[in-house]
Amino acid sequence: MLTPSERRRAKVAVLMAVNAVPLVGVLALDWSLVALLAVYWVELGACLVGAAVKALFAEGKPTYNANGFSWLVFGALSEKRGRITLPVLPLSIQIANLPAILMALTVGSVGWALFGAIGVGGVGETTGTAMTDAESLSVGLGVLAVIFGRSVDVGRYLLGGTYASVPPQQPLRSALTSMAGTGSALLIGGGFVIAGAPPPFVLAFVLAVKLLADIVDVYRDRLEAFDERTSVELGFAPNTPEWERIESSRDGSEIIRPRPSAVVVGGVVRGLRSPLSLVVGGALMLIGLLSTATTPGVAVELLGGAVVVAGGFTALGVFDWSFRYLAMEYRVEDEDDKDAEDAGPGRVVGYDRLFGPQWRLASESRAELECVRSATDRLFGTETLRLERDDRVYRLPHLPSDAVEIAPLQSNHQLTNGRSGASSATNSETNSFAGDS
């Protein structure tokens, strides 16, 4: 395992090599300004992809607050604890990392396209210069060198074990900061060229800003330490929450599972009731109905589009609800169960059969559970338990009405003392979960 100083020196060496590529191209290979900007633009894309790979395997708890994050699919991913282990490599993908990665790639891709269109394309149009064949070849080699340098950085991150102690936002934030700095240099440099500034001045400006952004990224840990020691808020102080440790055993617990058919139908309702689904599908249907008097063909196409949108959101809703609840089981411990070292009397543990324990409710929280019945519950004769606590909503959906009693319910509905098919299991399995499963 490398020390922080050794990691910093290795990163400096990689970044110096990456930054030397365009400098050598300008001084030795007579690159034009467009060629330099093109290499920097490709490096921005490689930096974003490399950060996404780092974040994918990061094992720290995400720093965003997933409580109440109810976006379709994104919310299901952000609230799910557990990892997918790769079959060959000693690496795993943490489910909760995926929303941050997808959002960073979306925002970064838009910025990357904008920087390329204005910073590179605008300069090329203004100067009216095109790269020669020899220049194109050397730029291509420069691009390969930049990609190789970023690949070395990712390999060092994985082989050095850095991924085991960082949250996914850390490499993503670093990449987006670098993109903002270098991308701004591309945009401002392109503006200087359009305004008639001499190319040597623009080259020096872009190189200086790019180098400054890389130096800030390398010494981020020093800035974080300074931010923590002083009262000056620089925004570099790290926020590294840890997963709560949850222990659960099947022995001495009643096992309750949601009814699968109700979960699937609940997903259909979830997708169709999505605000975006209602807005997009409703707009297409309204436009289609208004246009029937003039252009019947267009109306049919718009109505068909509304049906496709509804079908797409239905599929997303089924995935969302199924991913959240289909593999869940709720372990209701006896009041005298003290096997687990952190167990309280009569607590409830939400356990995913694929990804391990997800959350727990102490015995005193059970009295606050509220029984509600949705349209899906009335259709299948099931009941849903719900609790808002610590800015988080705990939901135990579509439970059989003859299931074991979980709480002194606050409505006229009461779950009687029965057992689900899984509760008769006699084999005991104890699972501990501290960020992994």
Side-chain angles (χ1 to χ4, degrees):
M1 184 73 68
L2 297 177
T3 64
S5 297
E6 291 173 338
R7 288 199 298 265
R8 193 182 304 112
R9 285 194 294 269
K11 193 167 186 178
V12 168
V14 171
L15 291 176
M16 292 300 292
V18 170
N19 280 283
V21 171
L23 189 60
V24 170
V26 172
L27 298 179
L29 302 178
D30 196 25
W31 283 4
S32 64
L33 178 60
V34 175
L36 175 69
L37 296 180
V39 172
Y40 276 153
W41 180 63
V42 172
E43 184 188 352
L44 287 181
C47 178
L48 180 63
V49 173
V53 174
K54 291 180 179 180
L56 188 65
F57 299 111
E59 295 185 355
K61 182 180 180 180
T63 55
Y64 59 79
N65 185 3
N67 296 344
F69 188 28
S70 59
W71 291 3
L72 199 64
V73 178
F74 276 74
L77 296 174
S78 65
E79 293 180 355
K80 185 67 68 175
R81 296 176 61 161
R83 298 194 182 101
I84 301 174
T85 303
L86 299 184
V88 178
L89 300 176
L91 298 171
S92 59
I93 298 174
Q94 192 165 239
I95 302 298
N97 294 359
L98 297 179
I101 296 172
L102 294 175
M103 294 183 70
L105 286 176
T106 301
V107 174
S109 298
V110 172
W112 186 69
L114 181 65
F115 297 149
I118 298 178
V120 181
V123 171
E125 273 191 36
T126 301
T127 58
T129 59
M131 289 187 291
T132 63
D133 292 340
E135 190 177 25
S136 299
L137 177 61
S138 63
V139 168
L141 295 176
V143 167
L144 291 178
V146 166
I147 295 176
F148 176 77
R150 291 296 176 181
S151 300
V152 169
D153 181 51
V154 173
R156 180 180 55 81
Y157 169 88
L158 296 176
L159 295 177
T162 308
Y163 63 91
S165 59
V166 300
Q169 283 84 356
Q170 183 171 316
L172 295 174
R173 182 172 59 245
S174 176
L176 292 177
T177 301
S178 178
M179 287 190 68
T182 307
S184 299
L186 293 178
L187 292 178
I188 297 174
F192 284 157
V193 171
I194 294 174
F201 169 78
V202 177
L203 284 172
F205 173 79
V206 174
L207 286 170
V209 174
K210 174 68 169 60
L211 186 60
L212 178 61
D214 288 340
I215 290 175
V216 170
D217 182 54
V218 169
Y219 289 95
R220 175 179 291 273
D221 58 342
R222 294 285 184 90
L223 294 171
E224 290 174 350
F226 176 79
D227 201 356
E228 288 182 319
R229 289 196 309 268
T230 65
S231 59
V232 180
E233 294 290 339
L234 299 178
F236 288 99
N239 178 19
T240 53
E242 296 182 356
W243 290 106
E244 176 192 15
R245 184 177 181 85
I246 301 176
E247 292 189 354
S248 176
S249 173
R250 295 175 64 94
D251 277 352
S253 300
E254 297 290 350
I255 309 298
I256 307 174
R257 294 178 181 175
R259 181 165 294 174
S261 55
V263 171
V264 174
V265 174
V268 173
V269 176
R270 159 88 169 147
L272 293 178
R273 291 182 61 183
S274 169
L276 186 59
S277 169
L278 295 175
V279 170
V280 176
L284 290 175
M285 290 187 65
L286 180 61
I287 296 173
L289 291 174
L290 292 176
S291 61
T292 52
T294 55
T295 52
V298 174
V300 173
E301 293 177 359
L302 290 174
L303 291 174
V307 173
V308 172
V309 169
F313 276 96
T314 297
L316 291 176
V318 171
F319 172 82
D320 178 282
W321 218 239
S322 299
F323 191 77
R324 290 177 191 262
Y325 303 118
L326 199 57
M328 288 294 294
E329 65 182 26
Y330 306 103
R331 299 180 174 182
V332 186
E333 298 177 349
D334 293 337
E335 291 192 351
D336 58 351
D337 182 20
K338 305 289 186 180
D339 290 341
E341 61 184 44
D342 61 345
R347 70 173 188 171
V348 180
V349 175
Y351 188 92
D352 190 298
R353 300 190 299 278
L354 297 177
F355 301 114
Q358 300 297 308
W359 49 261
R360 63 179 173 183
L361 290 177
S363 56
E364 57 269 19
S365 300
R366 289 173 57 178
E368 303 175 18
L369 285 168
E370 178 186 2
C371 181
V372 296
R373 300 196 72 189
S374 64
T376 305
D377 287 321
R378 289 191 292 271
L379 177 63
F380 288 92
T382 57
E383 303 194 20
T384 294
L385 297 179
R386 187 177 182 276
L387 171 65
E388 279 192 51
R389 190 178 185 87
D390 299 328
D391 298 326
R392 175 174 180 175
V393 176
Y394 296 88
R395 183 180 286 105
L396 290 68
H398 314 309
L399 304 181
S401 59
D402 59 346
V404 67
E405 180 181 14
I406 291 182
L409 301 178
Q410 300 177 11
S411 70
N412 292 329
H413 302 288
Q414 183 170 359
L415 301 178
T416 59
N417 187 16
R419 292 173 181 262
S420 66
S423 64
S424 60
T426 57
N427 58 317
S428 173
E429 55 177 354
T430 301
N431 302 278
S432 62
F433 187 80
D436 57 353
S437 59

